[in-house]
Amino acid sequence: MQTRAVLGLHEAWLAIKAVIAETRVFPGRPIAVAVMDDHGDLIAFLCEAGVNAALARQNALRKAYTAACMRVDTMAFGERFDGIKRTIADSGNLNFTAGGGGLVLMATGGLILGGIGVSGRPDGAEDEALAQAGLRALRAAGVVP
């Protein structure tokens, strides 16, 4: 029988709690944060009160999905398309997105565990910094290297 490491609800909430704690250190606009498994299926989602429902909620989900399914951070994903003079719409998947705030979650040896996506702050660099807090929490717990 084969066994494979996977992200569970415990690990997803660990990352989400770290992101929310980081918003207390660096306050700003409300955010949404999503954690997905390696297939792009939602494990956990949190949305702060007052978040932009039309953008931040959907973008957090799309960032986590893109990172998990494309196996690359969303910032790098966008740069990949810029390098070939194409747009993400050319990929044919309307759920893909680019910009800061989507990070791939990878175990030792390169095994993809999923993705985390954060959205709501006025620029992608702030979303990225918050997502990094989730990644640091998973590192501290030994989930990712």
Side-chain angles (χ1 to χ4, degrees):
M1 174 186 308
Q2 293 182 341
T3 60
R4 181 185 190 289
V6 296
L7 284 178
L9 187 58
H10 173 76
E11 294 83 11
W13 279 120
L14 183 68
I16 288 173
K17 287 191 296 187
V19 170
I20 295 303
E22 192 79 356
T23 67
R24 304 305 179 247
V25 175
F26 299 103
R29 293 198 319 208
I31 62 147
V33 57
V35 177
M36 298 207 178
D37 69 13
D38 64 307
H39 297 288
D41 293 324
L42 186 63
I43 299 171
F45 178 78
L46 184 132
C47 182
E48 291 185 305
V51 75
N52 182 319
L55 294 175
R57 289 178 184 199
Q58 294 305 311
N59 284 339
L61 292 165
R62 291 174 65 208
K63 288 175 183 183
Y65 177 83
T66 302
C69 292
M70 294 309 297
R71 278 101 169 103
V72 66
D73 297 344
T74 52
M75 189 82 71
F77 186 63
E79 290 167 2
R80 187 184 292 172
F81 275 85
D82 289 345
I84 60 171
K85 307 286 191 248
R86 308 290 271 175
T87 68
I88 291 177
D90 293 329
S91 73
N93 188 328
L94 299 177
N95 290 314
F96 288 158
T97 193
L103 302 176
V104 65
L105 303 174
M106 187 181 312
T108 303
L111 176 70
I112 303 300
L113 299 172
I116 185 170
V118 175
S119 186
R121 294 295 171 90
D123 94 25
E126 289 184 59
D127 290 341
E128 182 88 8
L130 294 172
Q132 287 288 343
L135 183 60
R136 283 192 304 275
L138 293 176
R139 276 194 188 118
V143 176
V144 299

